[in-house]
């Protein structure tokens, strides 16, 4: 089975959030970057499917040069090769624009299965996989925790709300958006890291993919969130804040 | 003339709560833009639900009915609603931001050359639509431009279901053309993951733990606080994803919804998926080392500090207070 996994490099979870001078994005200068979490689960599922059924795992990522480190990480974990769509204007494209870029790179590869993470940890649109299925004319399912290959195609376990699940059968080729938590993530081994250096990373330019940048939806400005409640911040040493909290819970909130 | 269309979702043959919230959002947007609001209810049997909707202040209620819409499939719903949107040509299409909508609305929008603005928590002048970025650490304001409808999905809890205005509306029937062969996925019956032995929904006191705990070996720190308070132990999604606590202790949109007297969030940053699960809490206490963590926006009491120092101190103080 030939599996393509679309991954995104995002700011590391504890990266500082400072709004830049343009007011539309954060300052990227001192940020550490990481593989988007649900994409890591998509990669894990792809690697497990390959181990069971053999085949090839290709990672695909759009982003500036720095995305190369996340691509190498995926190769070190066991992906066979990678496609890097070199693109410095990712932020100017809306979800459809980014999906068009990815779809243009995927089409000539003709994969049996295309996996994406459910949602990016930075923009959080949660749409890439579903739009890719539409653009590529493939069936899809989202919020998937497990994938099983059957004679007819796939049986996948989909998460519903409030602790419910559902199995879905679908033919391949197909697109799945993977939810996090379905399996345990592997670490790259030293051997894997060594091997990754010699694996193929093909770079495509956004221009040669000829995907239009025009957006119908624009992020106008960003802001720090407003407080919904008047939060009382208790300060002091650990002991002092603990005592103050218990006092408040007892006499102000009257719940202890 | 332009209009607003709100797509209503049914769950177990009833209109879901979040659909009423989306309807409230649509009515509020309609008032802002002086546009009529229509509701669409897709399904195989929509008569009684349409009758319920007809008692609201709507220009009309459209039953989008077809036997192939009896079980949700992305192919069936995308096709049916594409046909409806092409026929009605609304300026705005609103959805509840449910798992079902997330599964097909982005494809529906793309089919019409549009992009869904998902997970919307507020509507401002313009209109601009706000939604969270960076796991709730930022808010973004989005604007739609160009021709064609603007697709919006409304986050749970952002609008109030009881704000839906009553009225009376006519009911219309819309029969989309769908062939069985178009539907490529076969959905199975929903099932519960495991026997639900922990009922967080009725717990009065909950101590909930997030990524800040760093590892399963540190869980005794929160277990001791839970024991001192007589509280149930709960967690945010990453803790259960890592297998540190069982999935049945997860609070949030994919886990349980809680409404305790006291919810103590320890090392939880407060992504929206978690916050929608704790909205009903009477009192929220947040302990986090990041002063900008979004959990502090919904907390009554906040402590900015190292949970490994603060939580044991609270445990001691609670024990002393209860003696």
């Amino acid at each position: 089975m030939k599996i393509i996994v679309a991954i995104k490099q995002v700011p590391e979870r504890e990266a500082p959030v400072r709004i830049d001078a343009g007011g539309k994005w954060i300052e990227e200068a001192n940020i550490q970057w990481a593989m988007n979490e649900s994409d890591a689960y998509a990669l894990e599922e792809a690697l497990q499917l390959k181990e069971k059924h053999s085949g090839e795992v290709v990672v695909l990522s759009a982003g500036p040069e720095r995305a190369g480190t996340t691509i190498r990480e995926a190769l070190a974990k066991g992906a066979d090769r990678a496609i890097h769509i070199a693109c410095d204007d990712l932020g100017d494209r809306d979800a459809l624009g980014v999906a068009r870029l990815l779809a243009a790179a995927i089409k000539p590869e003709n994969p049996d299965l295309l996996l994406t993470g459910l949602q990016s940890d930075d923009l959080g649109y949660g749409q890439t996989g579903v739009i890719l299925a539409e653009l590529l004319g493939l069936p899809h399912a989202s919020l998937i925790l497990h994938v099983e290959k059957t004679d007819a195609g796939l049986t996948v376990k989909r998460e519903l709300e409030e602790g419910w699940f559902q199995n879905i059968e679908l033919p391949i080729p197909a697109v799945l958006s993977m939810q996090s938590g379905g399996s345990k993530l592997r670490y790259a081994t030293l051997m894997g890291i060594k091997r990754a250096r010699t694996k193929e990373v093909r770079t495509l330019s956004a221009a040669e993919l000829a995907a239009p940048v025009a957006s119908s939806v624009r992020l106008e400005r960003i802001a720090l969130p407003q407080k919904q409640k008047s939060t009382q911040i208790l300060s002091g040493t650990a002991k002092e804040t603990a005592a103050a909290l218990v006092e408040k819970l007892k006499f102000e909130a009257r719940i202890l | 003339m332009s209009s607003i269309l709100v797509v209503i979702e049914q769950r177990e043959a009833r209109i879901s709560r979040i659909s009423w919230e989306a309807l409230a959002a649509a009515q509020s947007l309609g008032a802002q833009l002086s546009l009529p609001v229509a509701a669409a209810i897709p399904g195989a049997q929509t008569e009684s639900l349409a009758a319920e909707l007809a008692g609201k202040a709507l220009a009309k209620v459209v039953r989008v009915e077809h036997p192939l819409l009896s079980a949700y499939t992305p192919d069936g719903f995308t096709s049916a609603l594409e046909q409806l949107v092409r026929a009605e040509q609304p300026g705005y299409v609103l959805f509840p931001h449910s798992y079902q909508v997330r599964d097909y609305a982005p494809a529906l929008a793309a089919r019409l050359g549009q992009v869904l603005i998902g997970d919307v928590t507020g509507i401002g002048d313009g209109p601009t639509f706000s939604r969270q970025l960076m796991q709730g650490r930022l808010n973004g304001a989005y604007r739609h431009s160009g021709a064609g409808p603007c697709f919006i999905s409304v986050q749970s809890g952002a609008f109030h279901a009881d704000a839906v205005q009553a009225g009376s509306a006519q009911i219309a029937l819309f029969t989309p053309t769908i062939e069985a062969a178009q539907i490529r996925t076969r959905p199975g019956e929903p099932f519960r993951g495991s026997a639900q032995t922990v009922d967080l929904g009725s717990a009065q006191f909950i101590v909930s733990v997030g990524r800040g705990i760093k590892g399963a070996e540190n869980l005794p720190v929160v277990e001791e606080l839970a024991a001192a308070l007589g509280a149930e132990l709960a967690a945010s999604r990453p803790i259960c994803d890592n297998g540190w606590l069982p999935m049945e202790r997860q609070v949030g949109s994919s886990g349980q919804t809680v409404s305790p007297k006291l919810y103590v969030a320890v090392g939880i940053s407060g992504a929206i998926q978690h916050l929608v699960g704790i909205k009903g809490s009477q009192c929220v206490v947040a302990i986090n080392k990041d002063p900008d963590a979004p959990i502090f926006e919904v907390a009554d009491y906040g402590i900015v500090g190292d949970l490994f120092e603060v939580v044991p101190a609270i445990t001691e103080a609670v024990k002393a207070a209860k003696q």
Side-chain angles (χ1 to χ4, degrees), chain A residues 25-87:
Chain A
W25 195 230
I26 53 171
E27 289 177 8
E28 293 193 345
N30 297 312
I31 282 182
Q32 304 277 318
W33 300 86
M35 189 185 303
N36 185 52
E37 187 170 47
S38 58
D39 299 354
Y41 281 96
L43 174 64
E44 180 61 41
E45 194 69 30
L47 294 172
Q48 290 190 15
L49 282 167
K50 183 196 154 181
E51 283 158 7
K52 260 183 253 166
H53 305 287
S54 81
E56 187 186 23
V57 173
V58 183
V59 291
L60 168 68
S61 189
E65 202 181 337
R66 60 171 157 75
T69 57
T70 297
I71 289 172
R72 286 289 167 200
E73 185 191 336
L75 293 172
K77 285 185 167 185
D80 297 291
R81 63 184 171 92
I83 302 169
H84 181 178
I85 303 173
C87 176

Side-chain angles (χ1 to χ4, degrees), chain A residues 13 15 37 122-125 127 134 140 142 159 165 167 169 180 216 218 220-221 223 231-232 234 252, chain B residues 103 111 116 131 134 137 139 141-143 145 184 186 188 191 211 237 241 254 296 299-302:
Chain A
R13 193 163 287 277
E37 187 170 47
D122 52 357
L123 297 174
Y125 294 148
Q127 300 188 27
E134 173 66 22
H140 80 270
S142 65
E159 182 179 288
F165 301 91
N167 288 325
E169 293 170 24
S180 59
S216 62
R218 229 174 39 241
E220 285 211 321
R221 61 178 183 279
T231 307
Q232 293 188 42
L234 310 174
E252 198 172 81
Chain B
D103 193 52
R111 193 168 291 183
L116 173 75
R131 59 183 299 281
M134 299 288 291
R137 296 166 76 195
N139 279 334
Y142 286 78
R143 196 189 282 267
S145 62
R184 297 166 293 182
R186 281 191 37 200
F191 60 91
R211 274 180 209 273
R237 174 148 198 137
D241 278 354
S254 52
F296 286 122
D300 297 275
Y301 303 107

Side-chain angles (χ1 to χ4, degrees), chain B:
Chain B
M1 184 178 140
S2 187
S3 63
I4 297 167
L5 180 70
V6 54
V7 179
I8 301 295
E9 182 174 321
Q10 42 176 315
R11 196 169 297 170
E12 288 159 24
R14 297 184 53 154
I15 293 171
S16 67
R17 185 184 47 81
I18 184 175
S19 292
W20 291 118
E21 295 173 3
L23 179 50
Q27 287 180 334
S28 149
L29 182 64
Q32 182 188 329
L33 302 175
S34 303
L35 292 177
V37 180
I41 171 95
Q45 285 176 324
T46 59
E47 196 173 356
S48 64
L49 298 180
E52 192 179 349
L53 287 164
K56 307 301 170 191
L58 290 164
K60 66 173 167 179
V61 176
V62 186
R63 297 167 55 194
V64 183
E65 206 166 286
H66 196 287
L68 289 171
L69 299 177
S70 107
Y72 163 76
T73 60
D75 288 334
F77 272 54
T78 305
S79 174
L81 290 165
E82 177 203 358
Q83 293 170 53
L84 179 71
V85 170
R86 287 193 194 281
E88 297 280 330
Q89 305 210 340
Y92 297 84
V93 185
L94 271 67
F95 301 88
H97 189 73
S98 64
Y99 277 22
Q100 181 171 307
V101 163
R102 291 165 71 167
D103 193 52
Y104 77 90
L108 173 64
R111 193 168 291 183
L112 294 156
Q114 299 294 326
V115 178
L116 173 75
I117 305 176
D119 228 341
V120 165
T121 55
I123 301 174
D125 290 339
T128 56
F129 300 94
S130 49
R131 59 183 299 281
Q132 295 191 342
L133 300 166
M134 299 288 291
Q135 309 268 312
R137 296 166 76 195
L138 283 175
N139 279 334
Y142 286 78
R143 196 189 282 267
H144 173 263
S145 62
C150 170
F151 290 86
I152 303 293
S153 68
V154 180
Q155 176 60 247
S156 164
F159 291 83
H160 293 288
D162 51 19
V164 170
Q165 287 172 19
S168 85
Q170 298 221 315
I171 298 175
L173 184 65
F174 181 85
T175 310
T177 309
I178 313 172
E179 304 290 338
Q182 271 176 273
I183 295 174
R184 297 166 293 182
T185 59
R186 281 191 37 200
E189 282 299 311
F191 60 91
R192 272 240 178 246
S194 54
Q196 202 94 21
T197 53
V198 183
D199 180 15
L200 297 176
S202 61
Q204 293 295 298
F205 292 85
I206 293 176
V207 172
S208 196
V209 57
R211 274 180 209 273
I213 197 73
K214 292 197 165 69
E217 68 279 9
N218 297 325
L219 283 172
V221 175
V222 283
E223 283 165 353
E224 282 159 24
L225 175 59
L229 282 168
E232 282 284 358
L233 192 61
S236 66
R237 174 148 198 137
I239 302 305
C240 303
D241 278 354
N242 284 325
W244 299 345
L245 282 174
M247 282 288 178
E248 61 184 359
R249 294 206 177 263
Q250 187 198 324
V251 168
S253 56
S254 52
Q256 299 196 51
T257 301
V258 300
S259 50
K261 277 190 194 159
L262 176 64
Y263 189 84
V264 185
V266 179
I268 292 176
S269 68
I272 189 132
Q273 294 84 351
H274 186 76
L275 298 187
V276 297
I278 67 168
K279 278 215 156 79
S281 304
Q282 192 182 320
C283 177
V284 175
V285 173
I287 300 146
N288 204 294
K289 69 178 187 337
D290 175 10
D292 295 324
I295 190 75
F296 286 122
E297 290 149 46
V298 299
D300 297 275
Y301 303 107
I303 298 175
V304 179
D306 180 355
L307 73 89
F308 297 106
E309 289 174 17
V310 174
V311 175
I314 298 174
T315 307
E316 288 314 310
V318 169
K319 279 184 187 163
K322 285 198 167 179
Q323 266 168 14

Side-chain angles (χ1 to χ4, degrees), chain A:
Chain A
M1 198 156 41
K2 178 173 174 179
I3 307 171
I4 295 187
V5 187
I7 59 174
K8 184 180 185 184
Q9 187 184 52
V10 295
E12 197 261 282
R13 193 163 287 277
E14 306 211 336
V17 171
R18 288 195 199 92
I19 298 172
D20 69 11
K24 294 191 181 188
W25 195 230
I26 53 171
E27 289 177 8
E28 293 193 345
N30 297 312
I31 282 182
Q32 304 277 318
W33 300 86
M35 189 185 303
N36 185 52
E37 187 170 47
S38 58
D39 299 354
Y41 281 96
L43 174 64
E44 180 61 41
E45 194 69 30
L47 294 172
Q48 290 190 15
L49 282 167
K50 183 196 154 181
E51 283 158 7
K52 260 183 253 166
H53 305 287
S54 81
E56 187 186 23
V57 173
V58 183
V59 291
L60 168 68
S61 189
E65 202 181 337
R66 60 171 157 75
T69 57
T70 297
I71 289 172
R72 286 289 167 200
E73 185 191 336
L75 293 172
K77 285 185 167 185
D80 297 291
R81 63 184 171 92
I83 302 169
H84 181 178
I85 303 173
C87 176
D88 290 325
D89 63 353
L90 213 55
D92 296 335
R93 296 168 193 259
D94 57 23
L96 178 59
V98 173
R100 279 180 173 142
L101 261 187
L102 297 173
I106 292 162
K107 233 175 221 163
E109 292 280 342
N110 280 316
D112 299 302
L113 185 59
L114 171 59
L115 300 182
T116 69
L118 177 69
Q119 192 164 30
S120 65
D121 293 336
D122 52 357
L123 297 174
Y125 294 148
Q127 300 188 27
T128 306
V130 177
I131 299 177
L132 278 172
E134 173 66 22
L135 295 179
L136 296 165
L138 299 177
H140 80 270
S142 65
L143 288 136
I144 301 307
L145 286 161
H146 291 292
V147 182
E148 210 169 292
K149 196 178 174 306
T150 60
D151 293 339
L154 302 171
T155 300
V156 298
K157 182 182 177 189
R158 174 164 198 257
E159 182 179 288
L160 304 174
E161 280 132 331
E162 293 170 355
W164 289 81
F165 301 91
Q166 173 185 42
N167 288 325
I168 294 175
E169 293 170 24
L170 68 171
I172 54 172
V175 183
L176 303 174
S177 307
M178 302 299 296
Q179 170 65 292
S180 59
S183 49
K184 206 167 155 42
L185 299 179
R186 71 190 63 196
Y187 290 99
T189 60
L190 270 177
M191 183 60 87
I193 294 167
K194 231 181 204 174
R195 279 199 193 123
R197 293 191 195 126
T198 60
K199 287 178 177 172
E200 179 197 314
V201 180
R202 193 152 57 93
T203 305
L204 302 173
S205 73
E208 72 189 282
L209 292 170
V213 188
S215 293
S216 62
V217 160
R218 229 174 39 241
L219 175 56
E220 285 211 321
R221 61 178 183 279
I222 57 170
L224 293 171
Q226 304 278 313
K227 290 202 189 315
Q228 293 164 18
K229 278 188 180 178
S230 49
T231 307
Q232 293 188 42
I233 298 290
L234 310 174
S235 47
T237 65
K239 214 171 165 182
E240 288 161 3
T241 53
L245 176 67
V246 169
E247 192 80 1
K248 296 269 183 197
L249 292 178
K250 227 173 160 173
F251 299 107
E252 198 172 81
R254 295 171 190 276
I255 44 181
L256 270 194

